[in-house]
Amino acid sequence: MPVNRFVPIALAVTLCGCGSIGAIGVSPGNRNPPPGQVAGGLPPPGGVAGPPGGAVIAEPLPPATAPGATTVAANAPPAGAAAPAAPAPAPSASLGRTDLLGGWTIASSGESCQLFMTLTSWTGGYRASTRGCSSETLKSISAWNLQGQQVVLAGQGGTPVARLQSSGGSRFDGATEGGGPVSFYR
């Protein structure tokens, strides 16, 4: 049997496997798809359906600007007008334990060093440690806990060392149990 006899059969089988016969334009009644769709229901990529026969018309592009030219948005303030100031970030309304995890810089009485907080259970809440601190107060921190919106840094046996509140962003300010100022931030 010659090969030429199998070509039309193979072509027909291939076309049947690709979709419905109506998708290739051989349908009874020669229906045209609605505007914006290609036969078979899918929109063409990057364009809208054009005239019958399958031509695709690309969507119009925005107007080009000359090199070095700038465009101004329709609602932009006039040139020379001051831009409105962004509102200052408000302190976090709902502080969670995971917001406090990781490394921080802690400062008290003119000294700054590193504070690390984890979620490992520890006496007084969760494990905390300091590095590079010279003051006995900051060296003694071994735990932290969140009581409402207040962060309590604790020492040996869970004894509070300092209490701090969010000052907005990633900064917390408060006082040590001895009354000195303390803050941590990143």
Side-chain angles (χ1 to χ4, degrees):
M1 194 184 256
V3 175
N4 291 344
R5 294 175 93 189
F6 288 109
V7 172
I9 295 170
L11 182 59
V13 169
T14 303
L15 290 175
C16 288
C18 290
S20 69
I21 293 177
I24 60 172
V26 183
S27 64
N30 194 18
R31 296 184 306 215
N32 288 328
Q37 287 189 338
V38 174
L42 296 175
V48 294
V56 175
I57 301 171
E59 293 179 5
L61 296 174
T65 57
T70 58
T71 58
V72 178
N75 60 353
S92 175
S94 61
L95 182 63
R97 291 183 304 213
T98 57
D99 297 327
L100 299 168
L101 298 180
W104 298 83
T105 299
I106 187 167
S108 178
S109 302
E111 171 189 12
S112 66
C113 50
Q114 298 299 306
L115 168 68
F116 300 94
M117 294 190 269
T118 69
L119 279 179
T120 303
S121 293
W122 204 257
T123 303
Y126 302 96
R127 180 78 171 112
S129 62
T130 57
R131 183 182 306 153
C133 300
S134 57
S135 98
E136 291 302 317
T137 301
L138 297 182
K139 279 182 175 179
S140 72
I141 296 171
S142 62
W144 70 276
N145 205 350
L146 188 58
Q147 294 176 351
Q149 295 296 302
Q150 187 175 59
V151 179
V152 178
L153 300 177
Q156 197 71 350
T159 305
V161 172
R163 298 174 190 276
L164 303 99
Q165 300 235 350
S166 175
S167 299
S170 294
R171 182 176 180 88
F172 294 81
D173 292 302
T176 63
E177 290 299 307
V182 63
S183 61
F184 64 87
Y185 51 89
R186 49 174 154 204

